[in-house]
Amino acid sequence: MELVTRKDHLKVQKMKKKVLRKQVRAQHTLMRHEGIECSSHATQSLVIANAGLGNGMSRHQLFRIVEEYGLVETILMPPSKPYSFVKYGTTEEAKKAFDALNGKEVTLEDCGQNIVLYINFVEKVFWKNAVPTSLPPGLKVIEKIISPEEERRILESIDWIGAQKTLKHRRVKHFGYEFSYDNNNVDKDKPLPGGLPEICDPFLEKCLKQGYIKHKPDQLTVNQYEPGQGIPPHIDTHSAFEDEIISLSLGSEIVMDFKHPHGHTVAIMLPRCSLLVMAGESRYLWTHGITPRKYDVIQASELGQKVGTITADAGDLTLNRRETRTSFTFRKVRRSPCNCIYPSVCDSQKGPQSRVQPSFPHNEMEASELEQEYVHKVYEEIATHFSSTRHSPWPRIVEFLRSLPKGSIVADVGCGNGKYLGINEDLYMVGCDRSKNLVDICGEKNLEAFVCDALSVPMRSGSCDACISIAVIHHFSTAERRLATIRELARLLRPGGTALIYVWAMEQEYKNQKSKYLKEKNGSKDKEEEINTGTAQRPLSDELPDGSSQDSLCSDRLLSDAKGKGCDVKPIADSTLPIHTNRTSFHSQDLLVPWHLKGGSKKKGESTDTGLFPVGSKESQELSPVFHRYYHVFCEGELEAVCRSLDCVKVQRSYYDQGNWCVVLEKL
């Protein structure tokens, strides 16, 4: 009997330790994501890990769980996050909920999955009031355009047995003209037999009469989406179709996402039996798509599926389970080139030149233009997806930050989404990045960051005790610009101050060990590389413009140092930058690395034949949008050689860390 009691006691102690460990992990996640610190004493407010919209907890279920322990004043459920905040009327009620729910296993109602709740106290939660967003210009949503009986008849008219396409994320059938996903267009000389279904005629007559369209459509695409399916963000090809495009939603409501090239996004509820009209700017300039998922985040106060934009109000969001939805999208085939006022995204006006593969820069102006198109603009476009893949700090970088004296002033130059800014609370850290959208994400987490170029950081010389530059310098396209970036880091440091630099390594297999980048070749399809790679085999001496200075001599030395270490750098016949195949070894140093924007079907590790599109132009293909980033991958010894060419610093130590060359500098 005593043995059984002892075993039970050990089991309870083990469970308590596990809950405590999970609590601490949840505290770190909250600090990293939102800049919110948990409290060591009881308060009115709780943060509940694993009870968020991001992992399938609805507002209704969460309320029923927490209301049992007292008066619930507020529930905040941030979009896409795996945690929620609950405020009780009194501290006693919050403590009662804490004691009862911490470590408790519950079952998510909609999917049947079991989760364990981990709870911490927080002092206060400040959440920005969501500003209502307006519809993109030229876009309309008309509710109840058809009756339920008309909906039933239209759905029954589609024979899916003869479907022309079964795509990864939906079933598709074309009428009038077949849309080819190979070239993203229609063959205007090969109409399909039968034209559009006659059952659609009354509906189209109504649209003409109401002025939603100017001409009767001659092309129809029917898409059927099951829960968890969707369509990648795209703009319907300008040269293929006329202005107005209308889409009828049948069977179920759904949220569609619209995005302006400048990064502004609008999520719009499309109710069942509603009509979406895209004309003008919303048709020609904004991308639209449906994220593949089983639940949509919607306004809880409008659970009856009222038309409108979805506002990111953490106090009024919940989950809505998707059902099978069928869309009828009608278009008018264009017979002449498009002459719209949006040439940057118009295939008729841009033509083949938009696909020209960039070349290696031969002067400062070309280098700046290359980085603007294939670094700066790309990160503005992919910022949200990029940030979602950047949440786990690297251990040796954390070790460096935690080794600094208390009260140190630290600059993170190229801070991205700020994942290192909250690592050590004893430091005064400030970040800067060239991407405004990434800096905005830092701001959402209450982290200190500002927009600037790493070549010119607006901070006083000698003002920092330490700096970090993680995965930044490899984006500069000439040896001079890479050297200037390191010189700028040194300028910020006080004498005796230190800087940690990470750059991507050409050697992704080092000392017979493959890097994490290569090992993850067959890993999760949503996982992007932590620090990315590039390809173009070109000696550093060839990268420099004519009339080079002392830096050029340094670059020549860098090349010989690199070759001496065994880095196989072969010159290429022309200056065109090659496109790297993700999750493979590098064969050259200067290259373009694809980023597959989340939501498409292209698998990582596959090469792409989509051609090169600067950020201004959009690919409207079944593949997810692919953006290309410039990289210069460093050979062994190259980073140290660049650093040693500066008289004002010395290299304290250098090392290789999971496919990256790393250096710690000290200011002399």
Side-chain angles (χ1 to χ4, degrees), residues 45 80 96 101 109 160 209 247 272 344 375 411 413 439 447 458 467 498 502 517 590 597 651:
S45 300
S80 304
K96 185 179 176 183
L101 295 176
E109 291 176 344
W160 284 110
K209 187 176 181 180
S247 185
R272 184 175 179 176
S344 66
V375 181
V413 180
V439 169
L447 301 172
C467 296
T498 54
Y502 267 59
Y517 174 72
D590 296 276
L597 198 63
V651 176

Side-chain angles (χ1 to χ4, degrees), residues 23 27 37-47 90-92 94-96 98-99 119-124:
Q23 271 184 282
Q27 291 175 11
E37 188 171 5
C38 293
S39 172
S40 58
H41 61 271
T43 66
Q44 287 177 256
S45 300
L46 303 174
V47 56
T90 66
T91 300
E92 290 72 25
K95 188 162 190 327
K96 185 179 176 183
F98 178 94
D99 293 337
I119 305 180
N120 285 285
F121 291 104
V122 290
E123 287 287 355
K124 289 183 180 179

Side-chain angles (χ1 to χ4, degrees), residues 349-368:
Q349 298 179 59
K350 293 201 73 170
Q353 63 269 27
S354 64
R355 295 174 178 260
V356 172
Q357 193 165 328
S359 298
F360 186 85
H362 294 94
N363 55 53
E364 187 72 12
M365 181 179 292
E366 288 182 4
S368 179

